[in-house]
Amino acid sequence: MPRTTSSPSSAIGGSGSVSTVVADTASGWHELKITCYSATKTLGNRKYIRSGTFNVGRHNWHITYCPPGYDDENVGFISLFLYLEAANKVDAVVNARFKFSLLDDQGKPDSAYTTDGQIRDFKSAPSFGWGYTKFIETDAQWEASKHFKNDCFSIRCDVTVMLGLRTETSTRQFIAVPPSDLHLDLGELLSKAEGADVTFDVDGELFSAHKNVLGARSSVFKAELFGPMKEKTVAPVVIRDMEASVFKALLHFIYTDFLPAMEVGEEIVMAQHLLVAADRYDLKRLKLICEKKLCYRFAKGTVITTLVLAEQHGCRVLKESCFAFVASLGSLKAVMDTDGYDHLRRSCPSLHNELVAKLDVLSRRKSIWRSLRCFSA
């Protein structure tokens, strides 16, 4: 009789192995800001402006920007090229993927103006580069687009260097481990208030919480709830100078490490309030999350308020981002028309003076470029 074997699906245990070919890579990007487009486009064909040097994958690179087009066949287009400036080994050929993107008014790559990522061999030779002779057509529609403002626009170059191939062998696991859901359990603990041992009164609204959770997450709560005032926490702890909705969001983050869902349109204001609360209770990660959100969500009506918050709470990157956005408005008069300007002048006179000085430098630079354009004409 023929012999029979059990089906693999009937096996109770067992293991296998998998070999995977892995490409080791190193990625990075460089942003090229053009703040004087009208002046640069007066260059002749085959004339270019070179970016600063940047390093990706232990190699030095630079971009060349040709505003009037690379040659006679490409007049009316911006040409862009990527060059390997210096390899880490003499005469080395570097295999890399690269793409150029035009940044929108929020500083993010616009997919409609992003090239396909191409893999090319680069050599560290002065005349050997790869790029696009017709990256952007510089017509009237381009200069009226959201990417072009106050004679300025930005281009980003993403580079991924291929470092080599290797093979990994791993044992295939038959037990799937789900992702951590600790935040869900702690969120439910907060919402049900089971075992809560402290109550907060915020603007007349009561919130129940757990001292151990708060103390473990915040050094400020730890000092308040387990320090000299620990015997006084039987009565509600009154939180002043904070809205109830902000404190509720703060508790949600403390328990879950995530921000709660927000209504469309309230993210900026809530991020401003939460940044203040995070600084107050020494929640460093929440503070960075709020700072990052505000860096990508500038608006004329809120930027001055955000600038004051950045100064008062030591957010250096956010402060510089605010300065950059305010500078894009073009003049001190445009800034004076924004909400919060009077508050800035009264509450932070040194910051106001710093802002005025930066706008003055910008104005003088524009005057110089206008003179150069007149001279060229």
Side-chain angles (χ1 to χ4, degrees), residues 354-372:
E354 187 177 355
L355 174 62
V356 171
K358 286 182 178 291
L359 290 174
D360 182 57
V361 171
L362 176 66
S363 177
R364 279 184 280 144
R365 286 178 179 172
K366 287 186 175 180
S367 177
I368 292 172
W369 282 118
R370 282 195 293 269
S371 300
L372 287 174

Side-chain angles (χ1 to χ4, degrees), residues 164-206:
L165 300 174
R166 58 186 171 84
T167 301
E168 291 182 349
T169 302
S170 60
T171 301
R172 175 171 289 176
Q173 301 294 322
F174 290 96
I175 300 176
V177 179
S180 171
D181 59 358
L182 177 62
H183 64 287
L184 298 177
D185 294 333
L186 290 177
E188 186 174 2
L189 180 68
L190 173 65
S191 62
K192 292 184 177 180
E194 295 176 346
D197 54 1
V198 64
T199 302
F200 295 93
D201 182 346
V202 186
D203 199 20
E205 189 171 341
L206 298 180

Side-chain angles (χ1 to χ4, degrees), residues 99-374:
K99 65 180 180 180
F100 291 108
S101 303
L102 186 62
L103 301 187
D104 61 19
D105 52 356
Q106 299 294 322
K108 298 179 180 179
D110 188 337
S111 58
Y113 291 91
T114 298
T115 63
D116 295 332
Q118 298 188 18
I119 299 179
R120 292 288 184 266
D121 288 334
F122 288 84
K123 301 176 183 178
S124 55
S127 60
F128 193 90
W130 292 100
Y132 299 85
T133 57
K134 295 182 178 180
F135 176 64
I136 303 171
E137 185 173 6
T138 55
D139 53 13
Q141 183 179 358
W142 143 248
E143 294 193 9
S145 70
K146 64 181 179 179
H147 313 88
F148 188 89
K149 189 173 184 181
N150 297 326
D151 208 28
C152 305
F153 66 96
S154 295
I155 295 168
R156 171 169 158 167
C157 179
D158 288 86
V159 181
T160 300
V161 177
M162 308 302 168
L163 301 178
L165 300 174
R166 58 186 171 84
T167 301
E168 291 182 349
T169 302
S170 60
T171 301
R172 175 171 289 176
Q173 301 294 322
F174 290 96
I175 300 176
V177 179
S180 171
D181 59 358
L182 177 62
H183 64 287
L184 298 177
D185 294 333
L186 290 177
E188 186 174 2
L189 180 68
L190 173 65
S191 62
K192 292 184 177 180
E194 295 176 346
D197 54 1
V198 64
T199 302
F200 295 93
D201 182 346
V202 186
D203 199 20
E205 189 171 341
L206 298 180
F207 297 89
S208 297
H210 305 78
K211 294 180 185 178
N212 284 331
V213 176
L214 300 179
R217 297 279 282 157
S218 163
S219 61
V220 176
F221 273 126
K222 182 177 182 180
E224 291 181 352
L225 299 176
F226 295 95
M229 66 170 290
K230 64 181 180 180
E231 302 301 331
K232 300 179 182 180
T233 56
V234 176
V237 179
V238 179
I239 302 294
R240 305 187 188 281
D241 301 323
M242 187 180 299
E243 295 179 6
S245 59
V246 177
F247 189 75
K248 183 177 181 180
L250 181 75
L251 285 181
H252 186 276
F253 180 85
I254 288 176
Y255 277 75
T256 67
D257 213 37
F258 291 96
L259 290 177
M262 301 179 191
E263 295 292 333
V264 176
E266 71 172 9
E267 294 95 338
I268 296 179
V269 175
M270 179 58 78
Q272 290 175 339
H273 286 299
L274 279 175
L275 187 146
V276 176
D279 195 32
R280 176 175 174 177
Y281 287 102
D282 192 28
L283 296 167
K284 296 180 177 62
R285 184 170 182 271
L286 175 58
K287 183 178 177 182
L288 288 174
I289 289 174
C290 294
E291 185 176 359
K292 182 177 180 180
K293 281 184 173 291
L294 292 172
C295 278
Y296 289 103
R297 297 294 299 274
F298 287 123
K300 184 177 179 180
T302 59
V303 65
I304 295 299
T305 302
T306 301
L307 176 61
V308 173
L309 289 177
E311 174 75 359
Q312 293 174 337
H313 298 279
C315 302
R316 180 184 58 81
V317 175
L318 180 58
K319 177 181 175 180
E320 292 302 321
S321 298
C322 287
F323 276 143
F325 181 83
V326 170
S328 72
L329 299 178
S331 67
L332 179 60
K333 184 180 183 303
V335 176
M336 292 172 66
D337 292 337
T338 60
D339 295 338
Y341 176 77
D342 290 337
H343 173 65
L344 165 65
R345 189 171 54 182
R346 290 193 307 269
S347 62
C348 300
S350 61
L351 180 62
H352 174 262
N353 294 338
E354 187 177 355
L355 174 62
V356 171
K358 286 182 178 291
L359 290 174
D360 182 57
V361 171
L362 176 66
S363 177
R364 279 184 280 144
R365 286 178 179 172
K366 287 186 175 180
S367 177
I368 292 172
W369 282 118
R370 282 195 293 269
S371 300
L372 287 174
R373 288 199 294 273
C374 292

Side-chain angles (χ1 to χ4, degrees), residues 23-57:
D24 288 327
T25 62
S27 299
W29 56 268
H30 183 77
E31 182 177 337
L32 178 62
K33 296 183 177 180
I34 310 300
T35 60
C36 48
Y37 171 67
S38 298
T40 64
K41 69 179 182 181
T42 60
L43 293 173
N45 289 343
R46 295 188 178 273
K47 297 292 180 66
Y48 63 86
I49 300 172
R50 172 178 158 164
S51 75
T53 300
F54 57 97
N55 188 281
V56 179

Side-chain angles (χ1 to χ4, degrees), residues 59-62 82-87 92-94 122-126 128-129:
H59 306 294
N60 289 333
W61 308 81
H62 70 262
L82 175 66
Y83 287 85
L84 175 64
E85 186 172 304
V93 175
V94 178
F122 288 84
K123 301 176 183 178
S124 55
F128 193 90

